[in-house]
Amino acid sequence: MTSSDQQAPGPAGAGVPLTGSAGDGTGRPARWAASAWVRLPVLFVLMLIVTSVVSAINSAADATPLTALIAGVAAAGLALAGYTYAVRYLEGRRAPQELAIAEARHGLRRGAVLGLGLFTVTIALVAMVGGYHVHGWGSIGGALTTLGVMTGVAVAEELAFRGALFRVLEEKTGTRGALAVSALVFGGLHLVNENASIWGALAIAVEAGLMFGAVYAATRSLWLPIGLHLSWNVAEQGIFGTSVSGSGTGSGGLLDASVSGPQALTGGDFGPEASIFAILVCLVPTVLFLRAAKRRNRIFTRAELAQAKRH
């Protein structure tokens, strides 16, 4: 492990990545990027640009399941490479610990199981109040297209909001501040989606922004949030055939379905993510992961992080 990849012991012995030093990948500091207030907008804006590129790639390649799958994997790889090189240049870290390859399979698998389970419970609750209607079978091709599209989306968004915004902002606000701000910004960005609403954006901020942030805080890895994000989106559209964050039904899923009824219970045109059930269901793992983060001494104040950085 090189000096640029080391961890400070952090409060109570917890490992805290030293992300405050900037450099060109060789450990040499780059003065212009030394401050988190400089690195934050540069890295976050860069990853938002990557997210837009991923969206453009998905739009150009979603005509068939095969092209969507290939493009989705390629877009995810592009996002990962962009993040890795940006962190290498801005922070002098050759291998971001939050993307440790050794943790990828385990984190993605756990996230996939959790995301599928959470959305299944959510849609079951919507169905219990008469808000979810299955009209028949959809298509396997539609489900595979959704998988391809959502692969690039999940990777790019988690790199932008948890890898860039949450992680760097935490240096200046502490864990709680980073959690709150990243959740609100994540929800707010969904206002640009079709059929978006203030309520839907707030729901996304609470159920997804807080949950993904809590998962990252507890694990200090981006793989589990990526797997969770991807699995939730694929279940929502690719399996159960409902809208993802107000974007419409898109390529569809295994089931041809729709929601109807009071928006608070079903999410309305925004989709089940804007239902009270989604918020309540996702609050459970959010609380559990925050408790795990606290138990593992991974919730830090700004002062604690500054002290760890000095050491």
Side-chain angles (χ1 to χ4, degrees):
M1 183 179 288
T2 65
S3 60
S4 61
D5 295 326
Q6 290 178 346
Q7 286 186 323
V16 184
L18 279 175
T19 60
S21 59
D24 59 6
T26 62
R28 292 192 298 267
R31 291 184 179 180
W32 71 270
S35 170
W37 291 127
V38 175
R39 285 184 290 112
L40 176 59
V42 172
L43 184 58
F44 184 51
V45 170
L46 176 62
M47 294 316 300
L48 288 182
I49 293 173
V50 170
T51 301
S52 298
V53 172
V54 167
S55 179
I57 293 174
N58 284 336
S59 298
D62 65 357
T64 69
L66 179 60
T67 56
L69 285 169
I70 294 173
V73 173
L78 172 66
L80 289 167
Y83 179 86
T84 299
Y85 281 110
V87 165
R88 179 181 298 177
Y89 176 72
L90 293 172
E91 300 175 359
R93 295 190 295 137
R94 291 182 178 86
Q97 292 168 325
E98 62 271 23
L99 287 176
I101 298 300
E103 300 175 14
R105 178 181 296 183
H106 181 62
L108 291 173
R109 183 173 62 246
R110 287 179 62 202
V113 171
L114 181 58
L116 176 60
L118 290 173
F119 189 78
T120 299
V121 172
T122 298
I123 203 66
L125 292 172
V126 174
M128 286 177 60
V129 297
Y132 177 66
H133 315 282
V134 176
H135 309 297
W137 290 106
S139 70
I140 295 177
L144 292 176
T145 299
T146 297
L147 174 61
V149 170
M150 294 304 173
T151 296
V153 169
V155 171
E157 290 189 354
E158 287 311 301
L159 292 174
F161 288 94
R162 260 56 66 178
L165 182 59
F166 181 105
R167 182 180 59 82
V168 182
L169 185 62
E170 185 181 33
E171 295 178 34
K172 293 299 183 182
T173 66
T175 306
R176 292 178 178 85
L179 183 64
V181 172
S182 62
L184 287 173
V185 175
F186 184 67
L189 225 65
H190 285 76
L191 284 171
V192 303
N193 290 355
E194 185 181 354
N195 299 316
S197 65
I198 297 296
W199 167 252
L202 288 174
I204 289 290
V206 173
E207 74 201 24
L210 287 180
M211 179 171 65
F212 296 148
V215 171
Y216 174 72
T219 63
R220 296 293 158 173
S221 169
L222 291 171
W223 293 117
L224 204 160
I226 287 173
L228 173 54
H229 193 155
L230 173 59
S231 181
W232 173 281
N233 283 3
V234 170
E236 186 170 19
Q237 180 171 296
I239 297 177
F240 293 101
T242 55
S243 177
V244 176
S245 307
S247 60
T249 55
S251 55
L254 294 176
L255 297 176
D256 176 19
S258 63
V259 295
S260 65
Q263 181 175 355
L265 297 179
T266 67
D269 292 336
F270 193 85
E273 287 173 330
S275 73
I276 190 66
F277 294 124
I279 295 174
L280 294 175
V281 167
C282 291
L283 278 177
V284 175
T286 298
V287 171
L288 293 177
F289 275 106
L290 286 176
R291 292 180 63 182
K294 184 176 182 180
R295 186 172 62 252
R296 297 168 185 173
N297 297 307
R298 290 176 175 173
I299 295 181
F300 308 114
T301 65
R302 178 184 176 183
E304 289 171 332
L305 288 168
Q307 181 181 10
K309 180 180 175 181
R310 287 193 295 270
H311 288 79

